[in-house]
Amino acid sequence: DPSLFGVGILTDVITCTPPNAPTVTTPISDAQNSTATALTATGTSLLWYTTETGGTGSSTAPTPTTTSVGTQNFFVSQTVNGCESSRAKIEVTVTSNQKFSLVKGWNIVGCPIEGSTDIEKALSSIWSQVETVKNLDSFWDSRNNTAFNSLLKLNWGCGYFVKVKAACDLDWTVK
């Protein structure tokens, strides 16, 4: 009998079932030198980290810095009934301020947006002024039935001829 030796027997085992990671919106895009806002997530008792594993969590949501172009990763967990979840990753991309003044008529522009972006989204700042966009292989024209336009996405590092109705400022910040 273990109790004769002053040793108790553990009869209750406490288990911890980790909750799901909190819900986040990612990726987030900010322009260089813009005023960023604190990150957000949906969950209970959130803890914010700068690493995927290890480290010490903070209950204060971080605000990304926008002074340098590049990608920053943040991680957040939630704690429910004393059990901490895995960490959800939030990727914040800081893009350079890419604003260009276009003249009425034809302009040549290079796309600085990483990856491949829908043409309307990439040119959202001047979309109401766009008449035609061309590259070496395809085109988009406002007068065409949508089915006849072959240029649907703009790709990073590629050049385009853009014809606009009036002088305007092209802001490559995707909104």
Side-chain angles (χ1 to χ4, degrees), residues 24-65:
V24 299
T25 299
T26 188
I28 295 172
S29 183
D30 284 328
Q32 186 176 16
N33 298 318
S34 66
T35 302
T37 58
L39 298 177
T40 61
T42 303
T44 303
S45 299
L46 299 174
L47 287 175
W48 296 90
Y49 297 88
T50 56
T51 58
E52 190 170 5
T53 60
T56 302
S58 170
S59 59
T60 303
T63 300
T65 58

